[in-house]
Amino acid sequence: MAEKLKVLFLCTGNSCRSQMAEGWTKQLRGDVIEAYSAGVEIHGLNPTAVKVMTEAGVDISGHTSKHVDEFKNVRLDFVVTVCGHAHETCPLFPGNCKVIHVGFDDPPEKAKNLAGKGASEEEQLDCYRRVRDEIKAFAATLPGSLK
């Protein structure tokens, strides 16, 4: 049996997008990928991300926000940066680890902007749902889209 690919999803604070990517990848491609997530900072798990993932049948409530340094001794095959800041500040990883960038909008920032314009809670949640669904679509293409 082939060894699973080790993929780290990296974001700024490991609170939302990278957590969603880890959750979807474990659910959809856990047979071939060992998924992790981390941030270049630690912001804590975003409760709204947990909520919209639960709506879609993926429980990430047990995830914790981790710093990328926790993975410096893990032999990773791929690091997928899911935001521009993480891509710009991504550290070097040993071995043949390949870093690729697949950017997604920042749901907390989009929702905050909508709230400032008087948007309803449901409209704000839709920001999270849209990104959740985009990440699901990406995770479904793994590992082929990593090559």
Side-chain angles (χ1 to χ4, degrees), residues 68-85:
V68 67
D69 286 350
E70 293 182 41
F71 295 91
K72 63 185 174 188
N73 294 320
V74 176
R75 191 173 149 350
L76 299 165
D77 296 297
F78 294 93
V79 172
V80 179
T81 57
V82 295
C83 74
H85 180 254

Side-chain angles (χ1 to χ4, degrees), residues 28-54:
L28 299 173
R29 305 303 293 150
D31 58 330
V32 293
I33 296 174
E34 193 170 326
Y36 308 97
S37 67
V40 293
E41 302 167 7
I42 297 175
H43 294 173
L45 187 59
N46 181 298
T48 308
V50 173
K51 178 178 181 171
V52 299
M53 289 295 285
T54 300

